[in-house]
Each structure stands twice: as structure tokens, then as C-alpha cells.
Amino acid sequence: MINIAILGFGVVGSGVAEVLKQNADSITQKLSGEKINIKYILDKRTFPDHELGDRVTTDFEKIVSDPEIVMIVETMGGSHPAYDFSKQAICAGKNVVTSNKEVVANYGTELLELAKSHSVNYLFEASVGGGIPIIRPMWECLAANKIQSVTGILNGTTNFILTKMIEEGMDFDEALSLAQCLGYAEANPAADVEGMDTCRKICILASLAFGTAIDPKNVHCEGITKISSEDVAAAETLGYSIKLLGKAEKRAEGTYIITAPHLVGYDNPMSGVRDVYNAITVCGNAVGDVMFYGRGAGKLPTASAVVSDIIDIARVCKEPMTWTFSDEDTCMDHKNAPVRFFVRTNDPNAKDYFAGCVFCDCEDGTYAFITDEDTEFKLSEKLNNISVLSAIRVL
Ligand code: HSE
């Protein structure tokens, strides 16, 4: 049994408990049969209706002095007391996993050194990019490279707000309230919209990429509050989207690092990153550009990153990457999976067989439509009734 404590049972902390419960079997399997047990939850509030309500305490000393606790999961947000508790936990020989970008950006250097000197881990995958794996891939999978630049849409809330304003004509306050309801925004959303959150995240990435700590206080930081709908419309006319970016680049003169809205050309995949999604492009001198994409905020995506760090620490003896041989046929018949087809036909009966689908006329006198979703088996049977020129699956 691996006993852990969660500090802060808000959106992310409760998400961690949910993921650990929901995926308990597969996680236990990855830990060669060991179970992860949430022994304590530190929070000022009580959760009488939650199944872990009896684990809630306000006494950090009890947690940090418990020899059974091997890992502290800090999901409190804000610098204090999160930093102080993390430091105390490391000094007491506990591993620490955090989603707290403010603490990592402001105190990461100190806490990482402290963790090293106490032979414990301080892991922070969830501090950047929500559910996107970026910290460990940069550290491990891109280790062969000298990183030349990192550019990212790093704040889910602002990208969500910009998307809602541009695509749905929502006003700023309404879009922000929605982001708050969905658990994307910071406790003080000024950190999102004024750019500080992006700034902290690009500093964490740049510190990791270039090997020296970059203090957010020294980085130019603009948010999205001055962007007008006229700016957006004019940029669109020219073929650009407006995105809040964190950007860090190694140059001969030193590290160029900035947080600010940028025009991103439609030919750059970042221009199509919508809603709460984040995207990060890392350029290495051997690999070239590598892009990471996924949900940048939210309960379960962020918890996914936290729990992966928990598992990483819990794998005391790391299992080698492997798979096993099975005599059983584990693949399903692809014809039983639900699909949609793009169909091109010149059969006049198609409109009867596929009534309800939208048909469009093609230049060559044929016409095309997209089927409703059904198993490929059933759709193929139905398509056998008409003459089909092409049928292509829709992603
Ligand atoms: N407020 C942050 C965001 C949460 O919107 O990206 C995830 O770090």
C-alpha cells in the first residue's frame, strides 16, 4: 500500500481522487499489485457527503509527521502556504507532486535542489499544459537535443474566452464566467487574463529547456484584456488568428522570452487551437519542431497529469516498457464499430435510402453526403442498395 496525502481538495485535488478511484485497477496493475491509498486530505472545508470525507483534516503537522505517508500531492494553488508545506514535506523525506505553477515558477529552483539533497522527487507535470504531457517528454524524450525554442498557447481560460468571443459572439465577462464554472480559471482570474499564468508556465518550460532558472518577474507579460473584436476581425481578413502565446527562444544575445497576444497565420496549426485546448511547439536542434496538443485546464485532464507523476514515483522498480502475448483475439471486428461515411454517388435513389442526410451537388454532376453514425456493418448493408462511386470514413 502506498499512502499519500492530497493538500487542497478543490477542482484538481478532487479530480486526482476521482482518477485514482476510476482507474484503480489499471493503476494497481502498473504498480505490480501495489495500491495507492489517499490517507489524508488537507482542506479547511469539510466534505461530509464525499466517500473520502473521513480523511479530511486541517492539521498539516499530522500529515507530515506520519511515517506512512510517502508522497504529498499539492493541489492548493497560490504561493502560500503551498510553498511552505512543500518545503516541509521534502525536508521530512516525502516526495512531492504538484500542479501549482505559481510555486514551481517562483520557487522551483530551491525546491528541486532541496528534493535532490533529500533524495526525494519534486514532480510538476501538471503545472504546464494541463493534461498534455510536456515536462517529462521534454526532459526525457527530447534529451538528445539542444532546445532552441518553445512556443505555446499555455492558458486554457484565455483561449476558451477568445474562442467563445470570436465564434459565438459571447461577451468577455460571460465567457469568463463560463470558464470559471467549468473549473478552468484561477481563483483570481486576473492571473489568466492578464497573462501571469502563461508567463509562469513559459518560465517553467524555458528553465527546463535551457537549464537555467528564469524568473517570471523579469519577463514581459501582456494579457488579452486589450484585444478588441476589431483587432480580431482585421487579423482574420489578413489570414491570422490572435492567440495569447508564451515564447522562449535561445538567441546569440541571450534568451528571448515573452508573454503576449500574437497573430498566428492560418498555415500554422496553432491558429486552429480552440476552446480550452493548449498547444506547445518545441524546436530541438536534432528533431526540429515537435508539437504537443491537448486540454490545457480542467479537473480530469489536470488530474491525469498529477496521477501520472504519482505513478511515476510509486514505480520504485520501474517496469520495463512491454506488452504480452495473448492467444485470444483482442481486436474487435472493425465492422462492429460506429462510423460515418462520406459517400459520393450518381444514384438518384440515394436520397430515398439516406433521407435526412444533407446532399451537396458536385461539379461533375455527381452528389455527395455524409451518413449518420452507425456500425460499418449496417451502413455497408444500406450502401449496397445504391451505386456508390466512393465511400470514405469520416474521422
Ligand atoms: N487557469 C489555468 C488555465 C488552469 O486556464 O490554463 C490550468 O493551469
Side-chain angles (χ1 to χ4, degrees):
M1 180 98 86
I2 296 159
N3 286 297
I4 69 169
I6 298 176
L7 313 187
F9 208 53
V11 173
V12 181
S14 62
V16 169
E18 198 173 321
V19 171
L20 284 172
K21 182 183 173 193
Q22 195 175 310
N23 296 342
D25 289 350
S26 78
I27 292 171
T28 303
Q29 201 180 358
K30 285 169 190 141
L31 297 176
S32 310
E34 283 247 56
K35 286 196 165 69
I36 292 177
N37 176 47
I38 301 170
K39 188 168 178 186
Y40 304 107
I41 292 166
L42 184 82
D43 207 293
K44 283 187 185 138
R45 298 162 293 182
T46 57
F47 301 88
D49 299 329
H50 196 283
E51 61 183 324
L52 298 176
D54 60 337
R55 323 278 164 98
V56 178
T57 175
T58 52
D59 186 357
F60 179 69
E61 291 304 324
K62 183 165 84 179
I63 297 174
V64 81
S65 61
D66 184 337
E68 284 188 357
I69 293 290
V70 295
M71 208 185 308
I72 302 269
V73 179
E74 187 270 296
T75 50
M76 306 180 83
S79 280
H80 302 285
Y83 155 74
D84 315 83
F85 287 168
S86 300
K87 194 170 167 180
Q88 237 180 297
I90 292 170
C91 291
K94 319 282 187 201
N95 296 283
V96 174
V97 168
T98 186
S99 59
N100 191 329
K101 48 270 161 122
E102 191 172 326
V103 170
V104 180
N106 291 334
Y107 303 100
T109 317
E110 180 194 346
L111 293 175
L112 284 165
E113 272 175 18
L114 202 61
K116 196 171 171 186
S117 68
H118 285 82
S119 304
V120 293
N121 294 280
Y122 181 64
L123 298 188
F124 49 93
E125 183 63 67
S127 66
V128 180
I132 305 175
I134 178 67
I135 302 294
R136 199 169 295 112
M138 264 178 71
W139 183 246
E140 292 181 3
C141 314
L142 297 176
N145 291 265
K146 280 186 185 167
I147 304 294
Q148 294 169 323
S149 67
V150 184
T151 306
I153 297 170
L154 298 170
N155 183 270
T157 300
T158 43
N159 207 46
F160 179 85
I161 292 172
L162 287 172
T163 307
K164 291 288 166 201
M165 288 173 70
I166 295 161
E167 294 183 10
E168 295 176 28
M170 219 179 247
D171 71 33
F172 183 93
D173 291 334
E174 197 186 347
L176 174 58
S177 300
L178 191 54
Q180 287 175 302
C181 286
L182 292 168
Y184 300 157
E186 296 302 297
N188 176 2
D192 296 299
V193 298
E194 301 286 358
M196 270 320 292
D197 184 74
T198 295
C199 187
R200 289 173 183 135
K201 289 167 177 168
I202 194 62
C203 286
I204 294 170
L205 293 180
S207 303
L208 192 68
F210 306 140
T212 39
I214 296 176
D215 189 333
K217 285 198 276 300
N218 301 328
V219 176
H220 179 80
C221 175
E222 291 170 37
I224 61 164
T225 49
K226 292 185 188 133
I227 302 292
S228 68
S229 45
E230 289 77 15
D231 294 329
V232 174
E236 279 182 352
T237 312
L238 296 171
Y240 294 90
S241 299
I242 298 184
K243 297 290 178 194
L244 177 61
L245 299 183
K247 197 166 155 43
E249 201 177 317
K250 239 340 182 209
R251 292 193 182 163
E253 312 90 287
T255 300
Y256 170 78
I257 177 159
I258 190 167
T259 296
H262 287 71
L263 263 69
V264 181
Y266 287 153
D267 56 347
N268 183 327
M270 284 225 187
S271 73
V273 175
R274 301 170 57 258
D275 211 89
V276 73
Y277 284 83
N278 283 190
I280 303 152
T281 303
V282 181
C283 182
N285 65 341
V287 72
D289 281 346
V290 181
M291 196 165 172
F292 299 83
Y293 172 80
R295 286 179 189 276
K299 184 177 181 173
L300 297 185
T302 311
S304 157
V306 175
V307 173
S308 298
D309 276 348
I310 295 173
I311 295 170
D312 200 52
I313 291 173
R315 275 173 169 157
V316 184
C317 300
K318 284 199 182 185
E319 300 235 349
M321 205 180 290
T322 185
W323 53 65
T324 54
F325 177 77
S326 167
D327 280 333
E328 288 167 37
D329 184 6
T330 50
C331 294
M332 69 178 283
D333 184 340
H334 74 278
K335 292 206 162 199
N336 288 327
V339 288
R340 288 182 303 149
F341 274 99
F342 161 88
V343 181
R344 201 164 57 77
T345 176
N346 51 12
D347 189 331
N349 295 322
K351 286 186 180 165
D352 295 325
Y353 279 105
F354 290 89
C357 294
V358 178
F359 285 73
C360 75
D361 295 322
C362 305
E363 277 177 14
D364 60 358
T366 62
Y367 46 97
F369 62 97
I370 292 177
T371 66
D372 290 334
E373 193 175 83
D374 207 338
T375 63
E376 186 171 330
F377 182 75
K378 284 193 187 147
L379 285 174
S380 304
E381 269 187 346
K382 208 167 162 187
L383 285 168
N384 280 340
N385 294 308
I386 60 170
S387 88
V388 170
L389 297 171
S390 41
I392 305 170
R393 288 172 194 80
V394 178
L395 186 66

